[in-house]
Amino acid sequence: MSDFMPEPEAEAGAPGDPVGPAPLDVPRDPTGDPRVDALVERLADVDHLDTDGHVEVYEDVHGGLRETLSALDARPGPPAPSPASHTYDNRS
């Protein structure tokens, strides 16, 4: 029969199959924040790991991004205006 499709198991050892992890080559554009850029570059490590090693890298990057965002929230700056400080003069 000409419509014969081989089973996936038969293709697993086919010549030309990659032996190990293959890089995804996903572009990582700089953000302008060196802390964030370093964490985003860390994602390149998954290109050299089997999929079971990806979780550790993703968790590391996620934790680093969370810490970076938390540090921004903790940074002293001008106080935000309170909603009560705004007066609206509606003379319609």
Side-chain angles (χ1 to χ4, degrees):
M1 208 190 282
S2 63
D3 292 331
F4 174 75
M5 296 290 290
E7 293 295 320
E9 295 84 28
E11 293 179 14
D17 280 357
V19 176
L24 297 176
D25 295 325
V26 175
R28 288 172 290 279
D29 298 327
T31 66
D33 185 311
R35 297 165 298 180
V36 173
D37 291 342
L39 290 164
V40 170
E41 280 303 313
R42 169 99 163 91
L43 292 173
D45 292 349
V46 300
D47 284 347
H48 311 289
L49 299 171
D50 289 324
T51 53
D52 60 348
H54 291 191
V55 173
E56 181 180 340
V57 174
Y58 295 151
E59 287 177 347
D60 181 47
V61 171
H62 181 259
L65 290 172
R66 180 171 287 210
E67 287 174 13
T68 302
L69 287 173
S70 294
L72 291 174
D73 287 341
R75 186 183 320 171
S82 67
S85 68
H86 294 287
T87 58
Y88 297 98
D89 191 9
N90 188 359
R91 298 181 188 186
S92 40

